[in-house]
Amino acid sequence: AQSVTQLGSHVSVSEGALVLLRCNYSSSVPPYLFWYVQYPNQGLQLLLKYTSAATLVKGINGFEAEFKKSETSFHLTKPSAHMSDAAEYFCAVSGLRGTSYGKLTFGQGTILTVHP
Amino acid sequence: GAGVSQSPSNKVTEKGKDVELRCDPISGHTALYWYRQSLGQGLEFLIYFQGNSAPDKSGLPSDRFSAERTGGSVSTLTIQRTQQEDSAVYLCASSSPLTSGGIGELFFGEGSRLTVL
């Protein structure tokens, strides 16, 4: 079974500041991990994915995440926040086994607010 | 199509009525998922289709919920005798192991917002 915990339902940063959104996972098998972003009244869009290649994964819009097995973490970062980054972010894990192939288990989401 | 298409985008119904939500996945995507997004509950998995069969329907909350997929393409999620707690955004996603390298990347539609009065 897999699960994801996102620490902090709301994160607020100033424009130009570092963005750090935390995600910890639990998985009985080597996980594939994802970050998705959801803008208001839109569906989810993939930001980046970890598939057991490089542990530091770069995604769209300047975001990156680092897989740390020892900490069971997959935190999302961006060096400098932009106003357009304001959205809700979801971390997800896929176990990729059996009949639930590709099924994702999502965290509760973190709403990112960016102040001018 | 270019993306996952869902209809209706908004649906307001009275308690006790039946509703149907439609999902048209990306052409060629063999896997299709339904999720429910509601306040305080995050994203809940409902059902997974591979082709026309549903090997995982473990997330359907009650027997009032059912889904089918025909022709390996369009899927319909049906909620019978709707209740106020069914109010949520219902998201559909599709994926293809071939094009995504077999890692389960999901492509989401914009969702159907259901309000039960």
Side-chain angles (χ1 to χ4, degrees):
Chain A
Q2 294 83 38
S3 66
V4 171
T5 301
Q6 291 183 239
L7 300 177
S9 58
H10 290 80
V11 170
S12 180
V13 300
S14 298
E15 191 173 20
L18 171 72
V19 175
L20 171 61
L21 304 182
R22 300 177 186 273
C23 171
N24 288 88
Y25 71 91
S26 172
S27 178
S28 56
V29 297
Y32 287 176
L33 294 159
F34 305 80
W35 276 100
Y36 281 83
V37 60
Q38 186 178 33
Y39 299 102
N41 299 314
Q42 294 187 25
L44 277 71
Q45 177 184 359
L46 181 69
L47 268 181
L48 50 78
K49 58 194 177 190
Y50 165 74
T51 61
S52 74
T55 56
L56 181 62
V57 181
K58 294 187 184 298
I60 62 172
N61 301 338
F63 283 93
E64 62 182 37
E66 185 172 8
F67 173 71
K68 292 187 177 181
K69 184 178 179 180
S70 61
E71 299 177 7
T72 61
S73 69
F74 190 58
H75 301 332
L76 182 70
T77 60
K78 182 174 180 178
S80 177
H82 192 272
M83 297 295 290
S84 61
D85 294 328
E88 188 164 15
Y89 292 80
F90 292 91
C91 183
V93 61
S94 170
L96 281 180
R97 293 293 183 265
T99 58
S100 294
Y101 182 85
K103 170 185 172 182
L104 297 185
T105 301
F106 287 86
Q108 293 293 307
T110 299
I111 296 173
L112 175 66
T113 302
V114 182
H115 297 288
Chain B
V4 178
S5 178
Q6 292 188 246
S7 61
S9 55
N10 279 283
K11 175 71 175 179
V12 180
T13 190
E14 294 180 347
K15 178 181 174 182
K17 299 288 189 181
D18 297 351
V19 298
E20 286 189 350
L21 307 176
R22 175 190 168 101
C23 172
D24 198 345
I26 292 172
S27 178
H29 279 194
T30 56
L32 186 147
Y33 304 79
W34 283 98
Y35 282 82
R36 179 168 71 174
Q37 185 176 24
S38 50
L39 285 175
Q41 297 297 321
L43 278 154
E44 302 173 90
F45 167 81
L46 297 178
I47 188 169
Y48 155 62
F49 286 92
Q50 179 59 45
N52 291 336
S53 64
D56 187 350
K57 54 180 76 172
S58 61
L60 294 178
S62 75
D63 59 8
R64 295 187 297 103
F65 287 72
S66 63
E68 65 174 11
R69 189 178 184 194
T70 56
S73 180
V74 172
S75 175
T76 302
L77 177 68
T78 301
I79 308 173
Q80 296 179 310
R81 305 181 303 280
T82 52
Q83 303 294 312
Q84 288 183 332
E85 61 263 29
D86 299 335
S87 296
V89 177
Y90 290 82
L91 292 167
C92 177
S94 68
S95 74
S96 172
L98 294 178
T99 58
S100 64
I103 61 154
E105 175 178 347
L106 302 190
F107 296 83
F108 283 84
E110 295 193 353
S112 292
R113 181 177 297 278
L114 174 66
T115 303
V116 182
L117 302 177

